Amino acid sequence: MDASLTQKSRVALVTGAGQGIGRGIASVLAQKGYRLALTYHSSVDGIETFAQDMRHTYGAQPIVLQCDLTKPEDAQRIVAETVEACGRLDLVVNNAGGGDNRPLLDMSAEAIASVIHLDYTGPMLVAKHAAAAMIEQEIAGSILFITSSRGERAYPGDSIYGGMKAALIRSCGSLALEWAPHGIRVNCVGPGATVHNLDQDAYAEPLGRKIPLGRMGTPSDIGEAIAWLASPQASYITGINLRVDGGLILPGMPEDTSEAAGYGWGQVYEPKPEQ
C-alpha cells in the first residue's frame, strides 16, 4: 500500500473487536480501506492473530489496544492512543458490551452497575472523547453505537442490558443534534440474533428458522451496515437506529416457546380448570 495513501486513508476505532460482531465489523472496514485501531478486554491471543491476518490480507497492521470500558479513564486513553498512532480519527464504532440475563431480583447492585458502565457509560465516554478529537482537527466524522433489537422490544431478564441499549438509542438523537454543527454524524446499528462463534451456521441455527428472512445474522451483515452508514453515501443520515435483524422483531409477541423452536421468551400458561 502506498505510504501517502495510507496517511490519507480514514481511521476507525472499533471497540470489542476480538470476536463475533466486532471482528466482522473490523474485517469489513479493512476491506473498505480503513486503518484500524481495535480494542479487546481480556483475550489478547485471538485479537493478535486477527490483527496479523488483517496485515496479511490488506497490507496494514491494525493497532491493538487493551481496555476495560467499566473504567472511565480507559475510554479517554484508547481515543488518545488511536489519534497518537494514526494521526486522526474518522469513525468510532462502540461495539464492546455484554449482558446479564438474570431477573432484576437476582442481580446485585454491583452487577447492575457493571452492566451500566460497560453498555452505556463506557460507550458514551468514548463518544465524548472521540467527538472532541474530531472537532479539534475539524474532521466531519461518524460515531456509531451498536445497540440491539432488545433496545426496542422488551424481554424478561433484560431490564438492565436492554434498558442500556434503549438509552443509547435515545442519547444518540441528542448527540446527533449537539454535534451536527461540526459535521459529525451519530447513529446506531441494532443487530438482531447474530452468530458469534465460528462453528455456528446462520442457516442451520434453530432460531434462524423463526426469523422472517430465514436465517440468523452474520458479523459481516453488521459490518456492511456500519460501513454504509459511515460512508459518504449516507452523509444525510444522523440520529437513527438502523435495525439489522432480518425482520426478527416484526411479528411481535407471543413467541413459540417449544423446544423444537430452539428459542423463545414467552410463558405458556396451563388452561384453568373448569369450575
Side-chain angles (χ1 to χ4, degrees):
M1 183 179 291
D2 182 76
S4 62
L5 179 61
T6 301
Q7 283 301 109
K8 295 178 181 178
S9 61
R10 293 171 295 174
V11 174
L13 168 62
V14 182
T15 66
Q19 60 184 349
I21 289 175
R23 182 172 291 204
I25 293 169
S27 296
V28 172
L29 293 178
Q31 293 169 16
K32 308 295 184 183
Y34 282 88
R35 288 181 291 157
L36 297 175
L38 310 176
T39 80
Y40 72 99
H41 179 223
S42 56
S43 178
V44 67
D45 292 340
I47 198 165
E48 289 287 3
T49 301
F50 177 57
Q52 290 175 2
D53 289 343
M54 292 293 97
R55 180 179 181 182
H56 172 75
T57 305
Y58 303 109
Q61 177 90 22
I63 66 169
V64 175
L65 305 170
Q66 193 280 332
C67 78
D68 179 354
L69 288 182
T70 65
K71 299 177 179 178
E73 62 272 18
D74 275 16
Q76 183 172 14
R77 176 179 58 80
I78 60 173
V79 171
E81 290 182 358
T82 299
V83 174
E84 181 180 1
C86 300
R88 59 186 293 126
L89 181 58
D90 300 87
L91 168 62
V92 171
V93 184
N94 276 295
N95 169 70
D100 188 326
N101 294 325
R102 291 178 293 171
L104 185 61
L105 292 177
D106 296 336
M107 294 180 68
S108 66
E110 291 76 15
I112 293 170
S114 178
V115 175
I116 292 173
H117 286 309
L118 178 59
D119 292 324
Y120 182 77
T121 308
M124 291 293 286
L125 289 175
V126 171
K128 170 187 174 180
H129 296 300
M134 292 172 182
I135 292 168
E136 181 178 1
Q137 294 190 328
E138 298 183 346
I139 293 172
S142 183
I143 295 174
L144 291 161
F145 298 99
I146 298 299
T147 58
S148 172
S149 56
R150 295 182 179 190
E152 297 186 63
R153 180 173 175 180
Y155 301 95
D158 198 38
S159 59
I160 307 301
Y161 175 81
M164 292 306 97
K165 294 300 186 181
L168 287 178
I169 295 169
R170 170 58 185 80
S171 294
C172 168
S174 290
L175 297 180
L177 293 173
E178 291 178 22
W179 296 335
H182 302 285
I184 297 171
R185 296 185 298 113
V186 187
N187 290 293
C188 298
V189 170
T194 305
V195 295
H196 287 79
N197 301 322
L198 294 177
D199 61 351
Q200 288 183 295
D201 183 331
Y203 285 90
E205 290 289 321
L207 175 56
R209 297 194 296 270
K210 297 181 62 182
I211 294 172
L213 288 183
R215 65 172 176 87
M216 290 181 67
T218 66
S220 65
D221 289 327
I222 311 307
E224 291 290 348
I226 289 285
W228 175 77
L229 201 49
S231 74
Q233 287 70 37
S235 63
Y236 202 53
I237 298 174
T238 194
I240 71 162
N241 181 53
L242 177 64
R243 195 168 68 241
V244 185
D245 72 346
L248 172 68
I249 66 173
L250 291 176
M253 295 288 271
E255 292 191 1
D256 183 356
T257 59
S258 67
E259 184 176 350
Y263 186 89
W265 290 89
Q267 180 172 338
V268 178
Y269 291 90
E270 296 295 333
K272 292 183 178 181
E274 296 184 3
Q275 300 295 326

